[in-house]
Amino acid sequence: MKKFSEYYLATDELSEMGMPDKRIIFSTRTSSSILIDENIYQHAINEEFHKIDENIYKTLLEKEFVIDKELDEYNSIMYINKEAREKTNFLGMTIQPSANCQLGCHYCGQTHTKDYASNDLIQKYYDRTKYLLENNQSYNGLAVTWYGGEPLMGYSSIKKTSKKLIELCKEKGFSYVADIITNGLSLKPKLFEDLVKECKITHYQITIDGTAESHDKRRITKSGEPTFDIIMRNIVDIVNTEIYKEYDCNISIRVNIDKTNYQFVEPLIDCVISNNLQGKVSMYFATIVDFGGNDAGKDSLSKDFFAQKEIDWLFKCYENNIDVGAILPKRSYSVCMVENKDSEVWDAFGNIYACWEFPYSETYEKGDSLIGNLFEPVDTYNQNATLRNWSEVVDSGEVWCKTCKHLPVCGGGCPKSWHEGTPACPPFKSNYKEKLLLDYYIRQKRKEIAEA
Ligand code: SF4
Ligand code: SF4
């Protein structure tokens, strides 16, 4: 016996879009979408499967729109996620080797000091990585994310640590990949070349909060100096280097958006185009939220408004050949690093956390959110640190996710956000109908080009 899955989303009937008696349905179980006739859709949701054409029914089964009647969907999703996490073959670590940053952004929840990872601590980073890699037979690779403070202010620590970890992976025959979240201020081509060649860092996330007019009111240095022109110049110089292409590097421009700068997102896209960065960088649009009670989210746009604007920005990027990644979310087996018990964040003092927003933050740097310190014995580590119990939080029904159709592709958004009392639903929850259409439109266009 079969039933129609609970984990699906659907557009409205598409007459207004020139596709009468059609709609797009999306299985969040498999992250697949199909265009379907209205009458078949009605038969499917009413479980009149005998009225559906055999081939279409086969597709509905394959994409898991139709599933076994007795399947407990929520529990099976949680079980599959747990298994996938246990079998993951990459150990993902986040290292924050610098407690310092040149910038003084109003929405940042960190307290910066001039501290960097010492040689003794770098040895501890190495020892702990080796221990974790050897403690789980599933691993055959290491993925390091460099984060801060501004990580490039601790470049010497990045270089020394990378050398040791790359060597460790080489000895074991493991893969090694690395990415960095940087403000981009000191990212000159020479430094970029060293980071790529010596530290194997190929993916760079750089935040630009609109054009100079808005960026320079927010992402200013601690002494109040503007940074837009310098960062943009660095990006332009880097994407035009030989090694950017040769090593398949990517710069992702993140735009943090609220009521005070959403008007500057379109001009920023224009600026990306006028600097001939299309086809070379990708873009990502994010909302600004509170950080441990710092009130950074006081100027947040409403979720619906942001979601509608996001569609306009994504479309503009698509039309201008700026990569925005996949329009539809992929199946997610862990919400983020907090659900992978081996994935840790290490700061410049050796503190260990589960979430990369915890170090250097007054709200989270001590107490239950601290797992331990790399200079202390392993048996002193807190196994129940804040956010590590995310699956249980979902199970308890304390957050909305247990009964949400988006769960298989969302995983719960950001556990820290829920922990602070803010629902973490991503824009997709508000704009999935438009995104299903946009994704369909883009796929059709690509098909037409391929067939021309
Ligand atoms: S809990 Fe939120 S902020 Fe922390 S690592 Fe996960 S997604 Fe990022
Ligand atoms: S965060 Fe929101 S959209 Fe995501 S699973 Fe939870 S309730 Fe659903």
Side-chain angles (χ1 to χ4, degrees):
M1 292 284 281
K2 300 288 182 192
K3 67 179 174 186
F4 199 70
S5 166
E6 294 159 38
Y7 289 112
Y8 81 98
L9 305 169
T11 62
D12 299 326
E13 192 271 337
L14 295 171
S15 292
E16 282 184 17
M17 310 306 299
M19 291 187 275
D21 296 323
K22 302 269 187 206
R23 64 172 84 208
I24 300 167
I25 55 173
F26 178 66
S27 164
T28 56
R29 293 178 62 91
T30 57
S31 180
S32 23
S33 66
I34 52 175
L35 183 72
I36 192 168
D37 286 343
E38 181 63 16
N39 65 335
I40 297 171
Y41 171 70
Q42 293 301 336
H43 292 323
I45 57 171
N46 291 315
E47 300 183 352
E48 299 164 337
F49 301 129
H50 59 284
K51 295 185 181 171
I52 298 175
D53 169 87
E54 199 180 323
N55 281 334
I56 297 171
Y57 184 63
K58 220 167 125 196
T59 305
L60 293 174
L61 280 174
E62 267 168 23
K63 307 287 183 198
E64 299 185 19
F65 286 101
V66 176
I67 52 166
D68 287 342
K69 186 127 201 156
E70 61 280 4
L71 187 70
D72 177 334
E73 284 207 85
Y74 168 75
N75 281 323
S76 83
I77 291 292
M78 294 301 268
Y79 180 77
I80 292 166
N81 289 359
K82 186 167 175 281
E83 279 221 311
R85 290 198 296 271
E86 282 167 3
K87 285 188 192 141
T88 183
N89 54 1
F90 260 80
L91 170 65
M93 308 305 300
T94 300
I95 309 180
Q96 306 189 206
S98 154
N100 205 358
C101 179
Q102 311 96 319
L103 304 193
C105 313
H106 74 275
Y107 48 69
C108 178
Q110 297 182 342
T111 306
H112 298 134
T113 59
K114 289 179 182 158
D115 292 285
Y116 307 96
S118 63
N119 288 342
D120 286 350
L121 179 56
I122 290 168
Q123 183 60 39
K124 294 290 175 191
Y125 290 161
Y126 172 87
D127 294 344
R128 180 72 177 153
T129 308
K130 189 164 185 286
Y131 168 82
L132 291 168
L133 284 175
E134 289 174 354
N135 215 23
N136 184 333
Q137 296 306 312
S138 314
Y139 294 136
N140 58 24
L142 175 65
V144 174
T145 294
W146 298 100
Y147 190 49
E150 167 49 39
L152 294 180
M153 292 193 82
Y155 174 54
S156 157
S157 310
I158 292 180
K159 201 165 158 178
K160 288 179 198 163
T161 310
S162 300
K163 192 168 175 225
K164 288 171 93 71
L165 297 182
I166 291 167
E167 194 54 42
L168 173 66
C169 286
K170 202 167 154 196
E171 279 164 22
K172 293 185 169 299
F174 285 8
S175 308
Y176 180 90
V177 292
D179 63 287
I180 191 165
I181 292 148
T182 166
N183 60 35
L185 202 59
S186 59
L187 193 61
K188 303 290 173 202
K190 176 68 186 85
L191 176 59
F192 171 73
E193 186 174 339
D194 288 351
L195 290 166
V196 175
K197 289 190 175 163
E198 295 191 32
C199 308
K200 292 195 171 205
I201 302 174
T202 51
H203 285 65
Y204 296 72
Q205 187 197 97
I206 299 175
T207 298
I208 302 187
D209 284 357
T211 48
E213 197 177 341
S214 66
H215 177 98
D216 286 342
K217 286 202 181 88
R218 309 144 69 92
R219 295 188 68 79
I220 43 173
T221 64
K222 289 201 166 59
S223 54
E225 299 298 316
T227 62
F228 181 88
D229 289 343
I230 302 171
I231 297 170
M232 202 43 120
R233 182 77 257 152
N234 289 347
I235 293 176
V236 171
D237 288 347
I238 285 165
V239 300
N240 289 312
T241 58
E242 282 296 314
I243 57 165
Y244 186 78
K245 214 169 163 187
E246 192 188 327
Y247 284 78
D248 205 14
C249 297
N250 176 256
I251 290 180
S252 169
I253 297 179
R254 177 187 167 109
V255 195
N256 290 327
I257 299 158
D258 64 10
K259 279 181 195 160
T260 66
N261 74 329
Y262 77 91
Q263 310 86 335
F264 298 96
V265 179
E266 280 208 35
L268 175 64
I269 298 172
D270 290 332
C271 176
V272 164
I273 297 162
S274 65
N275 277 291
N276 202 21
L277 294 173
Q278 64 276 39
K280 296 173 185 163
V281 300
S282 55
M283 291 190 81
Y284 171 68
F285 308 104
T287 48
I288 297 175
V289 291
D290 273 356
F291 191 107
N294 74 348
D295 217 16
K298 70 177 185 334
D299 288 322
S300 285
L301 292 164
S302 76
K303 284 203 185 265
D304 284 349
F305 186 78
F306 178 90
Q308 292 314 310
K309 294 302 294 178
E310 189 197 28
I311 297 293
D312 298 342
W313 300 325
L314 293 176
F315 190 68
K316 186 171 170 95
C317 286
Y318 165 72
E319 293 240 288
N320 289 287
N321 187 30
I322 299 171
D323 179 23
V324 287
I327 300 291
L328 301 179
K330 301 257 183 304
R331 179 74 170 81
S332 163
Y333 299 96
S334 58
V335 65
C336 64
M337 61 181 302
V338 305
E339 271 197 296
N340 296 319
K341 68 174 177 38
D342 285 353
S343 283
E344 296 176 342
V345 185
W346 302 325
D347 72 7
F349 307 101
N351 293 317
I352 309 170
Y353 302 93
C355 162
W356 65 6
E357 298 283 333
F358 286 179
Y360 317 131
S361 121
E362 267 181 38
T363 315
Y364 294 108
E365 66 188 349
K366 297 195 188 89
D368 292 343
S369 25
L370 184 65
I371 292 175
N373 188 285
L374 291 167
F375 289 101
E376 300 297 329
V378 172
D379 59 14
T380 62
Y381 293 179
N382 171 12
Q383 301 301 328
N384 301 308
T386 310
L387 304 186
R388 276 290 195 234
N389 65 339
W390 177 243
S391 306
E392 287 108 78
V393 172
V394 174
D395 263 343
S396 72
E398 212 178 293
V399 295
W400 309 337
C401 312
K402 190 173 184 175
T403 53
C404 175
K405 292 175 173 204
H406 292 251
L407 180 66
V409 290
C410 173
C414 166
K416 184 182 81 79
S417 189
W418 284 107
H419 179 75
E420 291 173 352
T422 308
C425 307
F428 186 65
K429 189 162 187 182
S430 306
N431 63 14
Y432 69 85
K433 291 181 182 176
E434 290 84 355
K435 277 193 175 157
L436 285 171
L437 268 167
L438 181 58
D439 172 72
Y440 178 78
Y441 172 82
I442 291 173
R443 281 191 289 124
Q444 286 305 108
K445 283 278 165 203
R446 286 191 183 136
K447 211 164 133 196
E448 279 168 30
I449 292 166
E451 284 167 4

